[in-house]
Amino acid sequence: MEPSFLFTSFFYSFLLLTSGYVGTQGSPLHHHHRHRHHHHHREKHEIYDHTSKPTKLFVFGDSYADTGNTRKSLGNSWKEPYGSTFPGKPAGRFSDGRVLTDYLAKFLGLKSPLAYTWMKLGGKKLRNGMNFAFGGSGVFNTLGDLLPNMTTQIDFFQKLMDDSFYTKWDLESSVVLVALAGNDYGAYVGNGGTIEGLQSFIPRVINQLAVNLKRIHGLGATKVIVTSLEPLGCLPRMTLLSSFQQCNTTQNLAVSYHNLLLQQTVDRLNNETKSSTFFILDLYTSFTTLLDQKGNYQGNFDLLLRENIL
């Protein structure tokens, strides 16, 4: 489900908290932070250190990562008030400012990659990688053929590789972000799916995501960050009936099931590849921590990144 509200300050704060969770594929998502910090300390340098700075960032996913792919006829992201704080006008981001792609690129020491649909205007910007994410998309079709699902997004990238636009070395020396924020579930419910049916639908989503992750690895990716689901039951549309005071417990239980299966899948893929290729970015804990603190989190962005990842 795509955010329909302005959340630059919220997003900025959540990344501060999330920064300590990149590279935690070996620990359950529900572990307390003090346990999580111990587990990720050994692995955090595998995403990025000063001796192996990534050369590019490639992105697949939805509106949490889209920087301008969704066309103007489909996306409110091209209308005010989106983009009001960055870049100062609507520019295709589903936020009043930056999105996850922008923040991750900054952390990696890169410029945010160009949106795929604007690549003909790219020039030197193409050196930063490319963003194939489309707001509203999922691993399956969410709006018929109107939006490229994740399989099609990877097709776009593979075509560029087949044409030698990017090489396998480009991918091996880069970081890949795979963002999935729940649009498959929104489409499922919107098409008449039941809560009871989610028990069998959620594994289908995870299985398809696993196919996509394996394919990205097969193309040459060595570092892939995949997002866990945020607490969908705490989105404004889910809390309206309680005057925004109570999260939807049923929704969040389904999210927890998704995240548990994702954790198991990432563990399995890393075992199969005999590597630490896949990492989970724990959005669930980040969002719930901020909600518990009522948005009052304060901290120095650069300092926290250095302490928790670099």
Side-chain angles (χ1 to χ4, degrees):
M1 298 179 182
E2 303 303 335
S4 57
F5 53 92
L6 306 182
F7 65 108
T8 284
S9 59
F10 182 88
F11 207 97
Y12 184 81
S13 298
F14 110 72
L15 193 67
L16 297 182
L17 293 162
T18 303
S19 63
Y21 305 141
V22 176
T24 62
Q25 79 273 20
S27 58
L29 291 175
H30 62 271
H31 273 194
H32 192 278
H33 178 264
R34 65 175 178 269
H35 296 152
R36 184 187 308 275
H37 183 81
H38 171 76
H39 284 294
H40 90 264
H41 181 76
R42 174 178 56 84
E43 299 161 343
K44 60 187 177 182
H45 294 283
E46 296 178 17
I47 282 288
Y48 165 59
D49 61 41
H50 294 293
T51 62
S52 59
K53 179 180 176 180
T55 61
K56 296 175 179 63
L57 175 63
F58 294 101
V59 181
F60 305 93
D62 52 32
S63 71
Y64 275 59
D66 184 1
T67 54
N69 278 315
T70 302
R71 63 178 183 261
K72 296 181 180 180
S73 60
L74 290 177
N76 289 330
S77 55
W78 293 98
K79 302 175 182 178
E80 294 182 348
Y82 290 101
S84 59
T85 62
F86 176 84
K89 62 180 180 180
R93 287 170 172 82
F94 288 80
S95 168
D96 67 326
R98 294 170 175 83
V99 294
L100 180 55
T101 297
D102 303 308
Y103 289 120
L104 182 59
K106 180 181 178 181
F107 162 64
L108 294 173
L110 302 171
K111 293 184 178 180
S112 195
L114 186 71
Y116 169 72
T117 54
W118 298 91
M119 63 176 292
K120 291 183 178 179
L121 304 177
K124 293 182 178 180
K125 294 180 180 179
L126 299 173
R127 300 174 184 173
N128 304 322
M130 193 164 291
N131 187 342
F132 299 90
F134 282 76
S137 66
V139 295
F140 300 125
N141 288 339
T142 53
L143 286 176
D145 295 328
L146 293 177
L147 290 171
N149 62 29
M150 195 173 291
T151 298
T152 303
Q153 294 174 25
I154 300 172
D155 288 342
F156 294 155
F157 178 62
Q158 184 162 7
K159 177 63 164 57
L160 293 180
M161 291 190 70
D162 291 342
D163 292 341
S164 299
F165 196 90
Y166 290 115
T167 66
K168 187 174 182 180
W169 185 88
D170 286 322
L171 198 53
E172 289 176 348
S173 61
S174 301
V175 171
V176 177
L177 171 65
V178 177
L180 193 68
N183 293 308
D184 291 290
Y185 301 123
Y188 167 82
V189 173
N191 290 326
T194 63
I195 295 296
E196 293 76 16
L198 278 174
Q199 185 172 356
S200 59
F201 183 67
I202 291 173
R204 287 181 55 201
V205 172
I206 294 294
N207 288 341
Q208 182 57 46
L209 177 60
V211 169
N212 294 334
L213 293 175
K214 289 177 70 174
R215 184 180 173 196
I216 292 170
H217 176 261
L219 291 172
T222 58
K223 301 300 171 194
V224 180
I225 300 172
V226 56
T227 61
S228 68
L229 275 188
E230 71 284 6
L232 298 177
C234 298
L235 292 178
R237 71 186 68 176
M238 294 293 112
T239 61
L240 177 61
L241 293 179
S242 66
S243 299
F244 310 110
Q245 299 301 307
Q246 188 71 40
C247 295
N248 185 308
T249 303
T250 302
Q251 286 271 350
N252 284 346
L253 283 174
V255 168
S256 295
Y257 183 42
H258 170 103
N259 288 342
L260 175 63
L261 294 183
L262 175 64
Q263 182 75 69
Q264 294 172 348
T265 297
V266 164
D267 290 341
R268 175 174 55 82
L269 290 175
N270 281 329
N271 286 332
E272 289 177 357
T273 59
K274 295 180 173 59
S275 66
S276 296
T277 295
F278 302 98
F279 297 78
I280 289 176
L281 187 61
D282 186 358
L283 301 191
Y284 190 94
T285 301
S286 303
F287 272 64
T288 53
T289 300
L290 282 170
L291 290 170
D292 290 343
Q293 296 182 2
K294 302 185 187 304
N296 292 324
Y297 185 82
Q298 299 291 327
N300 181 287
F301 182 75
D302 292 328
L303 179 60
L304 276 174
L305 287 179
R306 292 179 185 280
E307 288 180 345
N308 291 324
I309 301 182
L310 299 185

